[in-house]
């Protein structure tokens, strides 16, 4: 079927078109080395012909054409949404077989700054880009509009796909080992879990160490690794754990009375937070994950284990919270499959903390958390009902807009006594910490208290940067 070039003259919210085109780069270059190239054009969900039309192009890094980030509509959309002032994004990639099936990646050794010839590529592709630019852009500039080329850079040096599988709730997912270049110039190996529905969002990651430290790891696919769950590498997890500092006195009292602190984790992923809360901080954890395949992946690749102090539940976290809150004596939790149901026999003791790590499954909203269904007063009231009088709710938040965050803060203030926030510092995540009662002190008498333990395993700046959000008086 032929493609009508006039289609690209107008903007259409969230429109996504992909097609192949003869490679105009002759002779073939290191970046664009296939006779036919793949073009993807995606318009912003907010794009209209009465708005300012801004278009940009991006060359997909060679050997990464099959990554979901570059080969799927959700991945392309997330790239576009990371650039809020952009109306249209055009991606140019080598046309490779099975381009939507992620494969292991290593950078081509033959590309250097000297021979890449990117300026020449950009000049050669410009007539094609002009043809794919909305007419409004020509009106705004009274001539040919400027179409910048954006570069894609991340910390991934190479990757190795371990498994691609499908879960009944989250859909297709990917487990991979990656070698990363750190900000300080060092390198580190990690294991990651990603979902195809939100491919640019790393759902879980854990540090992995070579089984034999003497290995040079020439081929990542054949390397043998051990999971290191002693440190949190997901950017927002340390700030979430740092939120426990506001109830250290309460946790100390629990421990002194011979009671393990109890945590309810909504959203498990690979189980990194669950493992850490149990092994490093001595919590008993009830963990709720909507997809049983995700739990299988956590056990197989991330060290997640069911035990006396780790109880895994397959089900909707919000529904479980409401069920426990309003019918705590009823042991028939419809829609929740509990692997070890013994903990359900004693729900009279409330949770000291609820950890909420749930993201939106709607790619059109970009990367956002929590899902909209959690931003309801009835859900927050149910959560407060199952938290102890001195307990807290800790939530990872990726606000899609300022108004979303303001609404969420207002709902928290209506339900909880005090509210704190921690800026993760990545320009994306915020952590909210809501307390059921007024916080009087974060330390307790004695030597080896919970706060001292927390400061040994969590970066102190996160604890010290916690800010109380004042309640806004109604006018």
């Amino acid at each position: 079927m032929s493609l009508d070039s006039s289609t690209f003259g107008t903007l259409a919210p969230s429109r996504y078109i992909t097609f192949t085109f003869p490679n105009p780069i002759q002779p073939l270059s290191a970046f664009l080395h296939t006779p036919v190239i793949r073009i993807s054009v995606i318009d912003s969900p907010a794009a209209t012909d009465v708005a300012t039309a801004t278009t940009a192009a991006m060359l997909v890094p060679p050997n990464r054409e099959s990554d979901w980030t570059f080969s799927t509509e959700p991945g392309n959309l997330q790239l576009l949404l990371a650039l809020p002032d952009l109306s249209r994004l055009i991606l140019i990639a080598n046309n490779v077989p099975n381009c939507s099936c992620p494969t292991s990646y290593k950078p081509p050794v033959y590309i250097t700054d000297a021979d890449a010839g990117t300026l020449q590529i950009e000049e050669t592709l410009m007539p094609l880009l002009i043809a794919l630019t909305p007419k409004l852009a020509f009106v705004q500039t009274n001539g040919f509009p400027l179409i910048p080329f954006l570069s894609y850079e991340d910390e991934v040096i190479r990757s190795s796909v371990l498994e691609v599988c499908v879960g009944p709730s989250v859909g297709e997912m990917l487990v991979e080992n990656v070698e990363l270049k750190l900000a300080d110039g060092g390198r580190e190996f990690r294991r990651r879990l990603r979902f195809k529905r939100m491919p640019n969002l790393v759902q879980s990651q854990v540090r992995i160490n070579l089984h034999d430290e003497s290995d040079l790891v020439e081929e990542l696919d054949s390397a043998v690794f051990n999971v290191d769950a002693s440190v949190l590498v997901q950017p927002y997890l340390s700030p979430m754990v740092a939120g426990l500092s506001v109830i250290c006195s309460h946790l100390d009292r629990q421990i002194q009375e011979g009671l393990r602190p109890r945590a309810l984790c909504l959203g498990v992923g690979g189980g990194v937070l669950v493992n850490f809360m149990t092994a490093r901080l001595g919590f008993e954890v009830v963990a709720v994950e909507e997809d049983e395949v995700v739990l299988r992946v956590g056990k197989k690749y991330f060290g997640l284990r069911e035990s006396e102090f780790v109880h895994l539940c397959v089900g909707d976290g919000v529904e479980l919270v409401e069920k426990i809150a309003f019918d705590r004596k009823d042991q028939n939790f419809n829609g929740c499959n509990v692997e070890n149901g013994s903990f359900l026999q004693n729900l009279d003791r409330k949770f000291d903390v609820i950890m909420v790590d749930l993201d939106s499954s709607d790619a059109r909203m970009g990367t956002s958390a929590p899902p909209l269904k959690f931003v309801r007063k009835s859900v927050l009231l149910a959560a407060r009902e199952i938290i102890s009088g001195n307990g807290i709710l800790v939530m990872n938040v990726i606000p899609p807009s300022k108004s979303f965050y303001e609404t969420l803060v207002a709902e928290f203030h209506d339900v909880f006594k005090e509210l704190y926030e921690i800026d993760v510092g990545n320009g994306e995540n915020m952590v909210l910490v809501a307390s059921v009662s007024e916080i009087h002190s974060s330390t307790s008498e004695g030597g080896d208290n919970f706060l001292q333990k927390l400061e040994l395993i969590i970066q102190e700046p996160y604890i010290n940067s916690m800010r109380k959000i004042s309640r806004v008086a109604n006018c």
Side-chain angles (χ1 to χ4, degrees):
M1 183 178 67
S2 61
L3 189 65
D4 186 354
S5 60
S6 64
T7 301
F8 302 100
T10 59
L11 291 166
S14 299
R15 181 172 59 191
Y16 179 72
I17 300 174
T18 184
F19 60 95
T20 56
F21 191 83
N23 191 345
I25 310 300
Q26 298 297 329
L28 298 180
S29 73
F31 264 100
L32 294 179
H33 53 77
T34 55
V36 174
I37 56 177
R38 188 180 78 235
I39 309 293
S40 299
V41 181
I42 187 163
D43 288 345
S44 166
T48 65
D49 279 336
V50 297
T52 301
T54 53
T55 300
M58 181 183 294
L59 292 173
V60 173
N63 289 4
R64 297 188 69 172
E65 296 90 350
S66 61
D67 190 298
W68 285 335
T69 297
F70 305 108
S71 63
T72 66
E73 181 177 352
N76 289 184
L77 178 59
Q78 284 184 269
L79 288 173
L80 173 62
L81 292 176
L83 304 161
D85 297 328
L86 205 60
S87 303
R88 174 173 291 173
L89 178 63
I90 303 171
L91 283 93
I92 304 103
N94 290 298
N95 189 43
V96 297
N98 301 318
C99 67
S100 62
C101 298
T103 59
S104 300
Y105 160 76
K106 59 180 179 180
V109 296
Y110 51 81
I111 289 186
T112 65
D113 292 337
D115 62 15
T118 52
L119 287 178
Q120 181 182 356
I121 292 174
E122 293 174 8
E123 291 176 359
T124 305
L125 290 174
M126 193 55 63
L128 173 61
L129 300 182
I130 290 293
L132 299 176
T133 300
K135 292 180 180 178
L136 180 62
F138 296 87
V139 176
Q140 292 169 172
T141 59
N142 291 319
F144 287 103
L146 176 65
I147 305 174
F149 270 82
L150 308 178
S151 61
Y152 181 87
E153 295 182 3
D154 61 11
E155 70 277 22
V156 176
I157 299 172
R158 50 181 172 164
S159 70
S160 172
V161 175
L162 301 180
E163 183 178 346
V164 178
C165 54
V166 179
S169 297
V170 305
E172 201 167 355
M173 68 191 85
L174 163 73
V175 183
E176 61 184 353
N177 289 341
V178 296
E179 183 179 4
L180 306 179
K181 182 177 181 180
L182 304 180
D184 61 5
R187 296 191 177 192
E188 183 173 282
F189 296 105
R190 293 183 187 176
R191 182 161 295 160
R192 288 178 164 181
L193 171 65
R194 292 193 289 145
F195 296 163
K196 187 175 183 179
R197 69 187 189 188
M198 299 287 282
N200 300 359
L201 175 65
V202 177
Q203 298 289 335
S204 290
Q205 61 178 329
V206 64
R207 188 166 66 187
I208 52 177
N209 300 321
L210 285 167
H211 182 70
D212 185 347
E213 293 294 340
S214 65
D215 286 348
L216 296 178
V217 197
E218 294 183 3
E219 294 295 333
L220 198 57
D221 287 334
S222 59
V224 179
F225 293 98
N226 298 320
V227 171
D228 180 2
S230 65
V231 62
L232 298 172
V233 294
Q234 191 80 343
Y236 60 85
L237 288 185
S238 288
M240 288 185 71
V241 174
L244 295 171
S245 63
V246 302
I247 57 167
C248 281
S249 296
H250 165 67
L251 296 175
D252 278 334
R253 288 192 295 270
Q254 293 278 81
I255 295 170
Q256 290 166 9
E257 293 172 5
L259 298 173
R260 274 185 175 258
R262 297 186 79 208
L264 174 62
C265 291
L266 304 183
V268 178
V272 177
L273 180 60
V274 174
N275 288 342
F276 192 88
M277 294 282 288
T278 305
R280 301 300 304 275
L281 296 174
F283 273 77
E284 178 182 9
V285 178
V286 177
V288 186
E289 170 59 52
E290 65 175 344
D291 198 307
E292 59 188 353
V293 178
V294 173
L295 289 182
R296 179 189 67 78
V297 166
K299 293 175 183 178
K300 183 176 180 180
Y301 296 105
F302 293 86
L304 180 64
R305 294 289 181 270
E306 180 88 3
S307 71
E308 179 184 0
F309 302 116
V310 176
H311 315 285
L312 302 178
C313 175
V314 179
D316 186 292
V318 173
E319 292 179 5
L320 180 63
V321 166
E322 293 177 325
K323 186 68 174 176
I324 297 176
F326 300 121
D327 198 1
R328 300 178 64 206
K329 298 299 183 182
D330 184 357
Q331 304 304 308
N332 181 24
F333 288 87
N334 295 325
C336 188
N337 172 27
V338 183
E339 297 196 5
N340 179 357
S342 60
F343 75 93
L344 291 178
Q345 299 172 6
N346 180 17
L347 291 176
D348 289 334
R349 184 180 164 208
K350 297 185 177 183
F351 295 99
D352 299 294
V353 58
I354 296 179
M355 294 280 195
V356 183
D357 184 13
L358 300 171
D359 63 85
S360 169
S361 60
D362 187 353
R364 292 171 298 177
M365 294 184 63
T367 304
S368 63
L372 290 175
K373 66 180 180 180
F374 210 101
V375 191
R376 298 201 311 260
K377 187 172 295 183
S378 62
V379 176
L380 296 179
L381 286 169
R384 188 186 68 179
E385 177 67 23
I386 65 175
I387 300 174
S388 68
N390 294 303
I392 55 175
L393 184 148
V394 181
M395 177 182 289
N396 171 44
V397 182
I398 309 176
S401 65
K402 182 179 179 181
S403 61
F404 177 94
Y405 191 67
E406 291 173 346
T407 299
L408 183 60
V409 167
E411 294 286 5
F412 267 104
H413 270 140
D414 284 346
V415 174
F416 291 92
K417 189 69 174 180
E418 293 185 354
L419 185 61
Y420 301 81
E421 72 174 3
I422 304 174
D423 189 342
V424 175
N426 60 358
E428 191 171 69
N429 299 75
M430 301 292 290
V431 169
L432 289 179
V433 181
S435 64
V436 172
S437 59
E438 186 176 350
I439 303 298
H440 296 287
S441 173
S442 61
T443 60
S444 63
E445 297 179 359
D448 298 329
N449 56 51
F450 190 87
L451 181 60
Q452 291 175 336
K453 178 191 292 187
L454 198 62
E455 290 175 340
L456 288 175
I457 58 178
I458 294 296
Q459 295 180 25
E460 191 172 337
Y462 288 131
I463 298 175
N464 295 335
S465 66
M466 192 178 310
R467 183 182 73 89
K468 185 175 181 179
I469 304 178
S470 300
R471 193 181 302 268
V472 178
N474 294 325
C475 298

